[in-house]
């Protein structure tokens, strides 16, 4: 156990965010440094519970009390070994995970949970600084070849596991750079891209091959894909955005979040002098209150928006756990992300009725109305209609599943009732030798689940090819969060 009295004597601490007026002038991550000594104290708050519910809360089954103890004892090298045992990419989760482990921390029942996510990011940052993260070569090569389609966290985790198991792994990505949503969805201020590039270099040195600009089903036919590889992992994500087909949708100035965020990311990558869709000087409305909406909010502020309003159809969530979401579930609470802290207005219990245009066919306003829930449906509250002037609307209402035309249809893989790629217990689809991991099979989810599924699918592929149980499989395809 870490410090036996730590949970009694040390209050929870997390790093400060940089001042808003300063961080809005750049795109760098928003958090200040956190000293190693402070972090060791925080790790010392862990009670090393007999039944560590945090394991259950973490979709990767991260061995949290073990690395807390090692950090508290200043054995940082031991800590990264325990962390890497279950998580290929702690720098992605350490910056981006909503930390369901902390919602399940036993200390959180009557006190503040251990700062698990902070301990995680500090362990991996220190490991990179010290040069402890090295390429890991396989003990023996198998002579088998695996194609991974899609290079988001699911595809990368599957690829790294399979390369280390001795297979030749080729990752196909239709975009011009590797990373999936980590590259062109998530903005720099949430995770700087050097973290991704550094990890990709390690993977290259281990032997994973990356081929960008290859749209499987178009540039490489599914027949070629099957013929050239002994197994295939589909990790193409959930890329079909939910739309809002109401009056005025065709007006200029209304875009999907994933049309807006990639060019902003490309500016930061040095590809473009300025973004093709910019919020500069505009009144912006973001429809949708989730992660994607918050990323649009932070991006709009950095581009110099005149005003930003975020709309959410659901009511304002409570500040404390409601009774129907008890510990150790992940509760729906009113959360203030760094982007929310930077400004803008949040409106809850509202719905958009129509978009209003000017004589040139461009957006000038939207009409919204307050709503309340009746018999499970949102109904407008009469007399609450109002116009909200805006020149840019960003739709951030989630994703409805993977694209079917092309690869999915041509492979003939079965879909589940929600339109995602169906898998069996070993993550194999209905087509022999074709597996699927991440949002493509699970539906829109989280990075931690994508990594976890990538690891589990890799275990399924390795068993399929070699008839052995060599790789860990943290989850099954139907495992769900603690909700
Ligand atoms: C804006 C935004 C912000 C988010 N923020 C967070 C966050 O803060 N924390 C969090 O936990 N989760 C977040 N998420 C969710 C998270 O990013 C996803 O759950 C995760 O990236 C899914 O990983 P994946 O590997 O399954 O797919 P993706 O990351 O979507 O990657 C799929 C890749 O497959 C490629 N591809 C698709 N079809 C083909 C084909 N036919 N040929 C070749 N390549 C193909 C695509 O180009 C893409 O690069 C966010 C999502 C969005 C949209
Ligand atoms: S990956 Fe997420 S859930 Fe797991 S330990 Fe890290 S922050 Fe917690």
């Amino acid at each position: 156990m870490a410090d036996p009295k730590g949970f009694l004597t040390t209050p929870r601490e997390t790093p400060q965010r940089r001042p808003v007026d300063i961080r809005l002038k750049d795109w760098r991550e928003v958090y200040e440094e956190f000293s190693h000594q402070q972090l060791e104290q925080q790790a010392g708050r862990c009670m090393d519970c007999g039944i560590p519910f945090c394991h259950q809360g973490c979709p990767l089954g991260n061995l949290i009390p073990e690395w807390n103890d090692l950090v508290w004892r200043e054995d940082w090298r031991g800590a990264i070994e325990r962390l890497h045992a279950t998580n290929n990419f702690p720098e992605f989760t350490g910056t981006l995970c909503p930390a369901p482990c902390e919602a399940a921390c036993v200390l959180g029942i009557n006190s503040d949970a251990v700062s698990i996510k902070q301990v995680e990011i500090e362990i991996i940052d220190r490991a990179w600084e010290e040069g402890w993260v090295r390429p890991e070569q396989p003990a023996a090569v198998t002579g088998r070849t695996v194609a991974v389609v899609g290079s988001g966290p699911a595809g990368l985790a599957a690829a790294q596991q399979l390369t280390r198991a001795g297979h030749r792994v080729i990752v196909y990505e239709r975009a011009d750079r590797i990373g999936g949503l980590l590259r062109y969805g998530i903005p720099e201020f949430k995770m700087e891209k050097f973290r991704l590039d550094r990890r990709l270099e390690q993977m290259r040195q281990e032997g994973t091959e990356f081929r960008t600009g290859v749209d499987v089903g178009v540039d490489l036919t599914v027949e070629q894909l099957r013929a050239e590889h002994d197994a295939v992992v589909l990790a193409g994500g959930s890329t079909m955005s939910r739309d809002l087909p109401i009056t005025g949708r065709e007006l200029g100035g209304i875009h999907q979040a994933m049309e807006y965020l990639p060019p902003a990311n490309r500016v930061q990558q040095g590809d473009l002098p300025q973004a093709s869709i910019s919020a500069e000087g505009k009144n912006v409305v973001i429809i949708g209150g989730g992660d994607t909406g918050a990323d649009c909010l932070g991006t709009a502020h950095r581009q110099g928006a005149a005003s930003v309003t975020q709309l959410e159809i659901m009511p304002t969530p409570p500040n404390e756990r409601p009774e129907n979401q008890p510990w150790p579930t992940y509760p729906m609470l009113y959360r203030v992300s760094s982007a929310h802290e930077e400004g803008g207005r949040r409106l809850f219990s509202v719905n958009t009725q129509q978009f209003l245009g000017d004589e040139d066919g461009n957006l000038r306003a939207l009409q919204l109305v307050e709503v309340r829930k009746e018999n499970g449906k949102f109904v407008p509250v009469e007399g609450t209609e109002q116009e909200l002037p805006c020149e840019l609307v960003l739709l951030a209402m989630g994703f409805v599943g993977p694209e079917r035309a092309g690869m999915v249809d041509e492979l003939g893989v079965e879909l589940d009732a929600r339109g995602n790629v169906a898998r069996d217990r070993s993550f194999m689809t209905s087509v022999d030798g074709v597996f699927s991991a991440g949002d493509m099979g699970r539906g829109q989810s989280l990075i931690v689940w994508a990594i976890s599924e990538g690891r589990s699918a890799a275990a399924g592929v390795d068993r399929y090819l070699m008839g052995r149980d060599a790789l860990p499989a943290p989850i099954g395809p139907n495992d769900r969060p603690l909700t």
Side-chain angles (χ1 to χ4, degrees), residues 57-60 62 64 67 87 93 97 99-101 116-117 120 448:
C58 173
L60 284 159
N62 273 349
I64 297 160
W67 35 262
N87 188 354
T93 46
C97 188
C101 55
I116 300 171
K117 178 173 158 180
E120 183 171 24
V448 62

Side-chain angles (χ1 to χ4, degrees), residues 379-395:
V379 293
V381 179
E382 234 174 272
T384 61
E385 294 82 4
Q386 56 168 301
E387 270 188 28
L388 198 59
C390 52
E391 299 82 43
L392 178 64
V393 160
L394 301 169
L395 304 176

Side-chain angles (χ1 to χ4, degrees), residues 287-289 311-316 347-352 369-373 377-379:
I287 302 182
L311 309 183
E312 173 57 58
I313 197 166
M314 300 293 286
T316 314
L347 301 181
F348 291 88
S349 296
V350 289
N351 198 5
T352 307
V369 67
E370 289 174 23
V371 291
R372 66 165 173 263
K373 224 171 180 183
K377 284 198 175 147
F378 291 103
V379 293

Side-chain angles (χ1 to χ4, degrees), residues 436-476:
S436 179
D439 283 6
M440 192 164 223
R442 181 170 203 87
Q444 178 196 2
S445 184
L446 295 173
I447 285 153
V448 62
W449 282 102
I451 300 173
S452 186
E453 286 215 358
R455 289 171 68 83
S456 296
V461 172
D462 191 60
R463 195 179 309 114
Y464 172 81
L465 293 176
M466 309 301 293
R468 63 186 181 188
D469 266 325
L471 293 178
I475 52 162

Side-chain angles (χ1 to χ4, degrees), residues 96-98 149-155 172-175 179-182 185-186 190 214-217 235-239 258 261 291-292 295 399 407 437-440 444-448 450:
L96 298 167
C97 188
V149 184
S151 67
Y172 296 94
E173 170 55 58
R174 65 185 173 192
L181 288 170
L182 295 168
I186 289 162
K190 265 174 52 180
V214 183
D215 191 347
V216 174
S238 175
T239 45
M258 279 306 291
L261 293 170
D291 269 343
T292 309
D295 290 355
F399 299 84
M407 180 176 72
D439 283 6
M440 192 164 223
Q444 178 196 2
S445 184
L446 295 173
I447 285 153
V448 62

